[in-house]
Amino acid sequence: MNRKADISKDAALAMLRCMLLARRIEERMVRLYHQGQIFGGVYTGIGQEAIGTATTSAAGPDDLFAPCIRDMTVHVGRGTTALTIFRQFLGRVTGPTRGRDGNVHYGEIERGVFSMISHLGAMLPVVTGGVMARRRLGRDTIGFAYIGDGGTSTGDFHEAINFAAVLDVPVIFVVENNQFAYSTPTSYQFRCKNLVERAAGYGIEGFTADGNDAWALRELVSKLAAKMRQQPRPVLLVCETLRMRGHGEHDDASYIPRELLAAWAKRDPIALLRERITQAQFATATELAALEQAVQTEVDESYQQALNDPLPDAATLTEGVYADG
Ligand SMILES: Cc1ncc(C[n+]2csc(CCOP(=O)(O)OP(=O)(O)O)c2C)c(N)n1
C-alpha cells in the first residue's frame, strides 16, 4: 500500500528521530543504572516509543500533555532536549527539578508538558482542568492524558474521564496497554475483554489501536484531534503494546512469557517506522544511517555535558520545593 500521501516526509522523519533519541537516551540510562551511576530507579519505555511519538506528532503547539512513567517520547516529541533529560536523571542542579528528583517526575510546562508525579492517575484530572482553563481563555487546546493498563483501575482515571465527558472537555485518554502492571497481567486487573469497552459507560467514543505502529497511530490521532477541535469532547484510545523490559531495571521481568517477548520484538516500533519510511521512499539507507549517527552523537555529547554540571548544594535543598509567594 502506498501510504505516502498520508504523512509528510518531514513528519515521518521527525517521528523516527523522536523514537531513536528516546531509545538511545534510555539505553544509556540502563547502562548507567547497572554501573551504579543513577541514584534512583530506571523505568524505560523501550518498545513503547510509538505511542508518545505519534500522539505528540499529531498534536498542535498549544496542546497539553500529562505523560506517565514510560513516556520519554512525549518529552522528546515536545522538544525537551537530551541535555535537559540527562541533567534530570543525573540529579544536576541545571535540570528541570533542580536536582531534587533524579527520575521520571519532571515536565516542562512551557512545552505544554505537565510534570509527572508518582501517583498513578493523579495527573489525569489536572490535564483535564488545564485544557478547560485554556479553552475558556479562547485557546484551541486539546489534551493528551497517558495512563498504563494498571492505572486505569484508579479512581482518578474514572473521575477525569467522567468529568471530561459531562463537560465536553477535549482530552484524548491514551491507555498504554503493555499487558502488565508490574507483575500483574491484565487478566487480573479487570473483567472486561478490552479496556475500550469502558468508553460506552462514559458515553464517549473509544478506539483500539496498534501501539507499535507510529505511522498508523499518527493518522488516527490526527483525525481524532481535528474532530475534537471542531466538536470538543473526550475520547478513549487504547494502544496495544508490550512492556519489553522489567517494570524498572531492578526487575528481570521473569514473569513475562519469553515467547510473548519474542513475538513483540519482531514488531519493534522503530523497525516498523523505518520500514514505512523506506516503502514511501522518504529516505535512503545512507540517510537513515546518518540520522542514527546524529542521534547517537547528540546523546553522547548531552550526557558528557550534563556530567559537567553541578549537583545541588545540600544547604539549598529546601529551596524551590514549594511555589514562591
Ligand atoms: C495510585 C498508585 N498506586 C500504586 C502505585 C505503585 N505503582 C507504580 S507503577 C505501578 C504499575 C503500573 O502499571 P501500569 O499502570 O500498567 O503502567 P506500566 O508500568 O505497565 O507502564 C504501580 C502499581 C502508584 N505509583 N500509584
Side-chain angles (χ1 to χ4, degrees):
M1 190 185 348
N2 182 2
R3 307 180 66 93
K4 202 168 180 172
D6 302 322
I7 292 184
S8 72
K9 173 178 166 174
D10 284 354
L13 290 174
M15 284 205 293
L16 184 60
R17 179 187 171 278
C18 176
M19 286 209 266
L20 283 169
L21 189 55
R23 176 77 60 94
R24 299 290 170 261
I25 291 171
E26 293 199 321
E27 286 170 347
R28 177 62 57 91
M29 299 298 184
V30 168
R31 264 172 46 208
L32 293 173
Y33 174 83
H34 291 291
Q35 290 166 354
Q37 291 194 53
I38 300 235
F39 306 126
V42 167
Y43 309 87
T44 74
I46 289 177
Q48 299 182 209
E49 292 95 340
I51 302 170
T53 299
T55 46
T56 50
S57 174
D62 214 16
D63 292 344
L64 283 174
F65 299 79
C68 209
I69 195 170
R70 307 194 191 279
D71 292 322
M72 178 68 78
T73 46
V74 172
H75 297 284
V76 173
R78 291 301 286 182
T80 297
T81 62
L83 177 58
T84 298
I85 293 166
F86 279 114
R87 283 171 165 163
Q88 167 66 14
F89 280 85
L90 294 170
R92 267 30 195 195
V93 75
T94 44
T97 60
R98 302 191 220 168
R100 271 63 177 166
D101 180 285
N103 213 312
V104 292
H105 313 110
Y106 67 101
E108 291 187 301
I109 199 62
E110 60 276 20
R111 299 182 190 279
V113 183
F114 282 102
S115 187
M116 189 225 158
I117 65 166
S118 183
H119 311 68
L120 299 172
M123 292 307 289
L124 305 188
V126 177
V127 68
T128 305
V131 171
M132 269 183 88
R134 281 202 172 170
R135 295 188 74 81
R136 284 187 182 193
L137 294 170
R139 293 161 74 165
D140 190 26
T141 301
I142 65 169
F144 292 80
Y146 302 83
I147 189 83
D149 41 275
T152 65
S153 299
T154 62
D156 278 320
F157 175 79
H158 164 74
E159 289 176 35
I161 300 192
N162 192 55
F163 183 81
V166 170
L167 295 180
D168 291 325
V169 189
V171 175
I172 303 186
F173 290 90
V174 182
V175 177
E176 302 181 63
N177 181 11
N178 64 12
Q179 308 184 43
F180 288 85
Y182 216 118
S183 56
T184 309
T186 46
S187 55
Y188 282 97
Q189 293 177 42
F190 42 81
R191 279 278 179 226
C192 53
K193 213 163 171 200
N194 189 317
L195 282 167
V196 79
E197 291 166 25
R198 292 195 186 169
Y202 300 108
I204 65 172
E205 275 187 292
F207 303 85
T208 304
D210 179 344
N212 281 29
D213 184 346
W215 189 297
L217 190 55
R218 187 188 191 276
E219 287 177 333
L220 173 64
V221 176
S222 296
K223 283 184 196 134
L224 291 178
K227 272 175 29 191
M228 289 163 69
R229 288 186 212 280
Q230 289 289 315
Q231 192 198 339
R233 61 195 193 281
V235 301
L236 180 63
L237 174 61
V238 180
C239 299
E240 306 289 355
T241 184
L242 180 69
R243 205 189 66 215
M244 299 303 290
R245 301 187 65 82
H247 175 73
E249 286 307 306
H250 55 278
D251 166 25
D252 66 3
S254 52
Y255 46 85
I256 304 184
R258 300 295 104 172
E259 317 78 66
L260 190 61
L261 284 166
W264 281 84
K266 291 194 189 128
R267 306 201 64 257
D268 179 78
I270 295 181
L272 285 183
L273 183 60
R274 221 188 260 122
E275 223 175 280
R276 296 257 205 227
I277 286 173
T278 305
Q279 270 169 17
Q281 298 179 347
F282 281 163
T284 62
T286 316
E287 285 163 342
L288 292 178
L291 175 65
E292 288 246 14
Q293 187 50 55
V295 165
Q296 190 60 59
T297 305
E298 189 175 340
V299 169
D300 293 342
E301 289 179 358
S302 303
Y303 167 61
Q304 286 304 331
Q305 196 179 333
L307 268 187
N308 292 332
D309 285 356
L311 291 163
D313 177 353
T316 67
L317 277 181
T318 56
E319 290 171 18
V321 176
Y322 298 101
D324 300 324

